[in-house]
Amino acid sequence: MFRLPALTDLRRFDADASGKSLGNLPEWDLSDLYTAPDAPEVARDFDWLDKACADFAAKYEGKLDTLEADGLLQCIHDYEAIDITAGRLMSYAGLRYYQSTTDSERAKFMADAQDRVTVATTPLVFLNLELNRIADDRMEALLSANEALNRYRPVIERLRAMRPHQLSDELEKFLHDQSTVGASAWNRLFDETMAGLSFEVEGEDEPLPLEATLNLLTDPARAKREAAAHALAGVFEKNIRLFTRVHNTLAKEKEISDRWRKMPTPQHGRHLSNHVEPEVVEALRDAVVANYPRLSHRYYALKAKWLGLDHLEVWDRNAPLPIEAPRTIGWDTARSMVMDAYADFDPRMADLAEPFFDKGWIDAGVKMGKAPGAFAHPTVTTVHPYVMLNYLGKPRDVMTLAHELGHGVHQRLAAGQGELLSSTPLTLAETASVFGEMLTFQKLLAGAKTQAERKTLLAGKVEDMINTVVRQIAFYDFECKLHAARREGELTSDDINALWMSVQAESLGPVFRFMDGYETFWSYVPHFVHSPFYVYAYAFGDGLVNALYAAYKDAPEGFQDRYFDMLKAGGSKHHKELLAPFGLDASDPAFWNKGLDMISGFIDELEAMEE
């Protein structure tokens, strides 16, 4: 609980350096949370939180195993009220900070808020510990005796899955208390360092932030792409010692925590939090790796042919096709493209997305100091989500808008479950976002007027899917190797560079050559810092959506209602329950090949266009 917004969608660094002629890009209006850092409501809520947490501990600590069903239900409701207030405070502090991570006042406010919330909530640590000490038969009797309490069964079961890994009450309180100077402090150091970097790209009039520099890797001019790649490598190399220290420290901290908690693997904690079986993730990973040759290897060989090259350099990976006319898509056009696709699927979906544009729920522009990437943060169930973009008019930026709005729609629908049940495990959290992209892509594809336009759209979609599936599984393998190696001792920059390169050739294929300096490109991926092993959720979501979309096309009758029911469920159901109405089962190894077949089918069509 009480998390800062997660920086997400690192596969989408696709901005333009200028930001001109895009129209009126929206900024957040955070007043639905608080009107200002010094607003009286902020002080009021901090004071309320202090008292509510102390009162909660006085009322319930040491007594959970004596409560009857009604008493346990009231305990959960009291906790949810605390969760909402703490989440509201931290959402406001975090969103302001991500708008300008180099602003010292915003950084101080966030750090102070995090300290205050952490201190206030330390007395609550007993709750999970005592819940997990209740005997199985007694817990089952309590849940069975009260239908309202039984609604929280998924939350309680997820908590109790941590029982084998639970430490003493004193240790758990200590770890909670010192969290602000542990991983979160290193996260802040990473964020502020990355946001403060500037890159001098040959041919550019002024230094660029990371987002805009990465975007130049999609420039039509190959010389411009190459210059951007070398500028990135040069700055990453200058800062590599710091990034190496951050990764060493966080991986070691995780190893210590995992050892004390008796986690069997570094990935196990992520699987538990995602409420997904390790064998399901391994089936996904193995299916994707086995399909590298017919997906990324085959596509990039085709792309080299289109570009007239014998081999590709890393700066060619996201290059536009030679037949693709340079195009900048204004904000109003992007809005129409996405909203039309959403409305064609179901008007309810467009209605849920509309307020993001009209009520200040999106922050779209690229600004120096603003956090890179994109995310949708749900805040708390009594308010609404906020979407962050770095929009600069590329076609892929439109897909990012569709993606993040999908998250936002999902979060709005799931809010009806209440604070503890609304949060969707990461493996399913990407479903609505990737589905939103698919709807937008299919709408554009259906409107293609020429073979060249269709080819451009298909190629762009394949590249997005490769970035979502192949690249993210390669990232996952890199993390697995990194954490395994760190358990053997301190890693040098060269050690981490070598681990990074070990997954690049395997995933991208033999057509690639890798420039000197590319070995440092692991350093800018925030997921490795913020959320270890998060990245497989993207591949999970893409494979799931491909199978869902195939089910939609095969049997459209009633699909929308089933889809909305799935999104409304939030975290209240296991993935097996959620997918059963569609005839899908993620635990079936063959399931993942269905999604991969869709990518392969698009490549088949692209190859046929060459004949």
Side-chain angles (χ1 to χ4, degrees):
M1 305 305 167
F2 325 128
R3 297 181 302 274
L4 291 177
L7 291 176
T8 61
D9 297 336
L10 282 309
R11 57 199 172 88
R12 289 181 172 77
F13 278 115
D14 295 309
D16 178 20
S18 66
K20 299 171 184 174
S21 305
L22 294 173
N24 186 23
L25 294 176
E27 294 187 353
W28 281 330
D29 176 0
L30 299 178
S31 61
D32 288 341
L33 293 166
Y34 298 100
T35 56
D38 57 357
E41 292 81 6
V42 173
R44 177 202 67 194
D45 284 355
F46 274 125
D47 290 343
W48 180 91
L49 187 66
D50 290 339
K51 186 175 186 305
C53 292
D55 290 349
F56 185 92
K59 183 176 181 180
Y60 294 113
E61 189 168 13
K63 303 167 189 172
L64 252 59
D65 62 351
T66 68
L67 297 178
E68 296 304 323
D70 289 346
L72 185 55
L73 178 62
Q74 185 59 52
C75 173
I76 290 173
H77 285 165
D78 290 348
Y79 181 83
E80 277 193 302
I82 291 171
D83 201 20
I84 287 171
T85 298
R88 188 184 193 115
L89 288 162
M90 288 311 304
S91 291
Y92 179 68
L95 291 171
R96 284 186 77 245
Y97 169 69
Y98 285 139
Q99 281 184 299
S100 182
T101 62
T102 54
D103 183 321
S104 58
E105 181 276 324
R106 294 181 186 224
K108 173 178 166 50
F109 179 77
M110 189 192 72
D112 288 347
Q114 195 167 35
D115 285 344
R116 183 84 181 265
V117 168
T118 300
V119 170
T121 57
T122 295
L124 308 185
V125 172
F126 79 89
L127 178 63
N128 291 5
L129 306 177
E130 289 192 26
L131 274 175
N132 285 348
R133 284 199 287 265
I134 297 173
D136 287 341
D137 56 352
R138 173 154 174 76
M139 180 59 76
E140 183 58 41
L142 290 168
L143 293 171
S144 300
N146 188 306
E147 186 176 347
L149 178 63
N150 196 53
R151 271 196 73 243
Y152 292 94
R153 181 186 289 270
V155 175
I156 291 170
E157 287 181 347
R158 283 197 283 272
L159 286 176
R160 289 167 75 81
M162 284 293 295
R163 278 188 296 175
H165 313 294
Q166 190 166 290
L167 304 176
S168 69
D169 293 17
E170 187 176 37
L171 269 176
E172 293 287 0
K173 287 181 180 179
F174 167 76
L175 290 174
H176 178 86
D177 227 9
Q178 64 86 233
S179 62
T180 57
V181 294
S184 63
W186 289 96
N187 288 177
R188 275 190 59 201
L189 174 63
F190 175 86
D191 290 343
E192 291 169 10
T193 301
M194 196 58 69
L197 296 181
S198 63
F199 301 83
E200 295 186 2
V201 181
E202 185 178 347
E204 293 297 310
D205 295 334
E206 56 187 13
L208 302 176
L210 175 64
E211 192 82 48
T213 309
L214 285 162
N215 172 72
L216 291 177
L217 298 177
T218 68
D219 196 273
R222 195 171 191 232
K224 179 70 74 178
R225 299 196 304 269
E226 181 178 359
H230 286 297
L232 290 164
V235 173
F236 294 157
E237 178 60 34
K238 288 179 183 176
N239 291 273
I240 201 67
R241 290 180 61 189
L242 173 61
F243 297 137
T244 299
R245 172 57 46 223
V246 169
H247 283 69
N248 264 294
T249 303
L250 288 173
K252 183 61 179 179
E253 183 189 61
K254 188 176 190 313
E255 185 274 325
I256 293 169
S257 175
D258 287 349
R259 177 160 33 92
W260 277 77
R261 294 189 183 281
K262 297 181 171 56
M263 294 285 183
T265 67
Q267 305 92 316
H268 193 73
R270 177 63 63 195
H271 301 335
L272 285 175
S273 68
N274 283 345
H275 203 39
V276 65
E277 300 76 15
E279 57 270 23
V280 172
V281 178
E282 286 309 298
L284 163 64
R285 181 264 171 201
D286 291 347
V288 173
V289 172
N291 278 277
Y292 283 169
R294 76 177 183 124
L295 299 180
S296 49
H297 296 189
R298 184 161 64 116
Y299 174 76
Y300 288 127
L302 193 57
K303 185 166 188 175
K305 179 180 176 182
W306 293 335
L307 295 176
L309 300 170
D310 293 329
H311 63 266
L312 298 179
E313 300 286 353
V314 293
W315 54 80
D316 298 317
R317 187 170 60 84
N318 287 321
L321 304 190
I323 62 171
E324 185 175 348
R327 184 183 181 195
T328 298
I329 301 168
W331 179 252
D332 290 342
T333 302
R335 171 179 176 166
S336 296
M337 292 164 73
V338 175
M339 291 295 286
D340 288 349
Y342 276 27
D344 284 354
F345 173 69
D346 193 301
R348 291 173 293 177
M349 196 163 172
D351 289 344
L352 287 160
E354 192 75 32
F356 286 87
F357 295 97
D358 296 336
K359 295 187 176 181
W361 298 2
I362 298 176
D363 195 295
V366 174
K367 298 179 278 288
M368 189 67 79
K370 181 179 176 181
F375 62 72
H377 178 54
T379 70
V380 290
T381 54
T382 54
V383 187
H384 56 75
Y386 284 91
V387 162
M388 193 195 83
L389 305 172
N390 278 275
Y391 185 86
L392 283 157
K394 295 284 186 174
R396 282 196 178 97
D397 292 336
V398 179
M399 291 300 168
T400 300
L401 173 61
H403 181 102
E404 299 306 337
L405 278 179
H407 277 307
V409 167
H410 192 177
Q411 290 159 358
R412 293 195 71 195
L413 287 168
Q417 292 290 342
E419 199 65 23
L420 295 183
L421 285 165
S422 63
S423 181
T424 307
L426 291 179
T427 43
L428 293 171
E430 293 300 327
T431 303
S433 53
V434 179
F435 197 80
E437 283 188 80
M438 180 63 79
L439 293 174
T440 304
F441 164 71
Q442 293 290 352
K443 172 80 172 176
L444 295 176
L445 191 66
K449 296 180 176 59
T450 65
Q451 184 83 331
E453 187 179 352
R454 183 176 180 86
K455 180 178 180 179
T456 298
L457 286 166
L458 279 171
K461 183 59 176 173
V462 168
E463 291 194 10
D464 278 349
M465 294 171 106
I466 288 174
N467 285 339
T468 305
V469 177
V470 170
R471 191 158 167 78
Q472 299 305 318
I473 289 300
F475 282 1
Y476 176 69
D477 278 354
F478 165 72
E479 284 191 278
C480 291
K481 291 183 176 186
L482 173 70
H483 285 265
R486 183 63 182 90
R487 291 186 172 208
E488 302 301 316
E490 179 89 4
L491 300 175
T492 66
S493 301
D494 288 343
D495 292 334
I496 303 178
N497 292 348
L499 295 175
W500 172 255
M501 294 307 297
S502 73
V503 303
Q504 294 305 305
E506 179 189 19
S507 61
L508 296 178
V511 75
F512 271 92
R513 301 291 183 270
F514 299 99
M515 70 173 194
D516 290 341
Y518 183 67
E519 65 274 8
T520 64
F521 275 44
W522 55 268
S523 61
Y524 79 87
V525 182
H527 280 63
F528 303 154
V529 174
H530 285 273
S531 305
F533 305 107
Y534 179 108
V535 288
Y536 72 74
Y538 289 120
F540 197 109
D542 195 274
L544 175 56
V545 164
N546 290 344
L548 265 180
Y549 193 81
Y552 168 48
K553 300 308 289 183
D554 290 343
E557 185 69 28
F559 180 92
Q560 285 90 335
D561 287 339
R562 294 195 302 275
Y563 180 72
F564 277 97
D565 286 344
M566 179 178 71
L567 301 189
K568 289 175 184 175
S572 68
K573 294 181 180 179
H574 188 268
H575 62 79
K576 278 185 175 290
E577 288 183 87
L578 290 171
L579 294 178
F582 304 96
L584 302 173
D585 182 1
S587 64
D588 179 1
F591 168 84
W592 299 111
N593 283 320
K594 294 178 184 176
L596 299 176
D597 286 345
M598 177 174 284
I599 306 174
S600 183
F602 287 155
I603 301 173
D604 289 344
E605 184 174 347
L606 287 168
E607 285 183 333
M609 291 179 179
E610 300 299 299
E611 296 174 358

